[in-house]
Amino acid sequence: LIITYFFLLSIPTVVGFTSSGSYSYQLNKSICFAYLSPPLTDLGSRVEVEMLGSRYPGVVVKYPLFDAEPFA
């Protein structure tokens, strides 16, 4: 189970969960889609994602995660 954490006063609090995740070869980093508490859905919000007992930093970004415009 992958759970997203937000740290307030060094106490981990569950604020959402991920629906899927994978490594993006186009972005050269891991990405995941998550359901978050409304206060954390602002662009740039910082979270931590726990996966298999390890925690990784995360940030809320704008969708899509790639340049959707065709080459000019």
Side-chain angles (χ1 to χ4, degrees):
L1 178 64
I2 301 171
I3 300 176
T4 305
Y5 287 84
F6 172 70
F7 283 83
L8 179 64
L9 303 175
S10 299
I11 300 170
T13 304
V14 176
V15 294
F17 62 94
T18 61
S19 60
S20 60
S22 185
Y23 184 80
S24 168
Y25 289 97
Q26 186 172 10
L27 299 173
N28 292 319
K29 59 180 70 175
S30 295
I31 61 171
C32 69
F33 293 95
Y35 294 96
L36 294 172
S37 300
L40 292 175
T41 58
D42 292 333
L43 294 180
S45 293
R46 301 279 177 185
V47 295
E48 279 193 337
V49 179
E50 182 176 335
M51 182 174 65
L52 302 174
S54 297
R55 293 181 180 162
Y56 303 93
V59 63
V60 176
V61 296
K62 185 178 178 182
Y63 183 80
L65 303 176
F66 62 93
D67 185 5
E69 296 295 320
F71 292 103

